[in-house]
């Protein structure tokens, strides 16, 4: 669990400080960690996909055109998530910080959407039996459904729209950021 901790009148020796007070929020350090949520979503999608493939082969359902459609969508969703995460990592690796922050938020949103869609496609492919313990899809669905609530996807999408429209927004989603990202016109 994540907790809010307030340190009041707590002495920390200067040599033990990491950065300056408020640096994490003021310099949008949260954006450096945003892609890891996308990687977790990707892992959930891949786990459900692997289970669904094994199930399809075991049950010999590979000739069903609806199964083919859903497994094709799942595979393309996983590829797309990989592309977005690789693109974001490349931007960070090449020092393109602004572009990396923007891509990270886009990757966060799209991986959440695609992972949820992929898990649902796998459930529809495998049927209700895939939701009975100890099926890994039951656990993946439960965990993913909880984990995607961390950041409000509507808020993430809105911030992407605000960025595109040149409006101020809180790139780190702290709600009351003292330094919202200025618009292109500011």
């Amino acid at each position: 669990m994540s907790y809010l901790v307030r340190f009041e009148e707590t002495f920390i020796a200067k040599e033990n400080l990491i950065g300056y007070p408020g640096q994490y929020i003021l310099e949008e350090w949260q954006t450096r960690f945003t892609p890891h949520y996308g990687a977790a979503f990707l892992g959930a999608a891949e786990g459900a996909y692997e289970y669904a493939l094994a199930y399809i082969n075991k049950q010999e359902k590979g000739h069903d055109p609806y199964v083919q459609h859903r497994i094709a969508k799942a595979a393309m969703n996983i590829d797309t998530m990989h592309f977005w995460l690789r693109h974001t990592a490349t931007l960070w690796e090449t020092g393109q910080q602004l572009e990396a922050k923007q891509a990270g938020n886009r990757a966060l949103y799209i991986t959440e959407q695609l992972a949820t869609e992929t898990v649902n496609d796998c459930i529809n492919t495998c049927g209700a039996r895939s939701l009975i313990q100890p099926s890994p899809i039951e656990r993946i669905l439960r965990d993913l459904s909880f984990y995607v609530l961390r950041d409000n996807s509507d808020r993430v999408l809105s911030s992407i729209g605000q960025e595109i429209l040149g409006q101020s927004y809180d790139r780190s989603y702290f709600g009351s950021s003292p330094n919202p990202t200025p618009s292109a016109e500011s």
Side-chain angles (χ1 to χ4, degrees):
M1 297 183 114
S2 298
Y3 291 96
L4 174 65
V5 178
R6 295 188 190 278
F7 293 95
E8 296 179 14
E9 298 182 33
T10 303
F11 175 76
I12 300 173
K14 189 172 184 173
E15 65 269 9
N16 294 329
L17 291 178
I18 300 173
Y20 60 84
Q23 182 176 14
Y24 184 82
I25 293 174
L26 292 171
E27 293 183 8
E28 301 175 328
W29 276 83
Q30 175 65 25
T31 61
R32 287 158 172 76
F33 306 108
T34 299
H36 86 274
Y37 296 106
F41 300 152
L42 170 60
E46 287 177 330
Y49 176 75
E50 290 169 9
Y51 177 88
L53 278 179
Y55 177 86
I56 291 165
N57 290 327
K58 184 176 181 181
Q59 298 295 320
E60 299 180 2
K61 292 181 133 193
H63 297 290
D64 181 328
Y66 301 109
V67 168
Q68 294 165 351
H69 288 191
R70 288 188 184 274
I71 208 67
K73 272 181 37 188
M76 290 186 295
N77 287 351
I78 289 169
D79 288 345
T80 301
M81 288 185 270
H82 274 282
F83 293 143
W84 266 105
L85 292 171
R86 172 67 346 228
H87 170 65
T88 303
T90 299
L91 292 170
W92 281 114
E93 291 165 355
T94 58
Q96 300 175 66
Q97 289 191 15
L98 177 60
E99 294 84 357
K101 290 175 182 181
Q102 293 168 343
N105 284 340
R106 291 174 185 204
L108 170 65
Y109 179 81
I110 198 67
T111 55
E112 176 183 323
Q113 302 305 305
L114 294 177
T116 301
E117 181 179 297
T118 299
V119 170
N120 286 331
D121 280 336
C122 292
I123 291 167
N124 280 293
T125 297
C126 299
R129 199 178 323 163
S130 67
L131 294 176
I132 299 171
Q133 289 182 355
S135 166
I137 290 187
E138 178 274 331
R139 180 186 44 80
I140 290 168
L141 175 64
R142 179 174 23 94
D143 292 352
L144 182 64
S145 297
F146 180 79
Y147 199 47
V148 297
L149 298 175
R150 185 204 165 273
D151 285 317
N152 179 331
S153 65
D154 291 331
R155 185 170 179 197
V156 174
L157 186 58
S158 179
S159 74
I160 294 167
Q162 289 168 322
E163 170 212 325
I164 291 166
L165 296 171
Q167 300 172 2
S168 296
Y169 62 100
D170 178 9
R171 187 178 286 136
S172 296
Y173 313 113
F174 286 111
S176 60
S177 175
N179 187 22
T181 303
S183 69
E185 299 161 359
S186 298

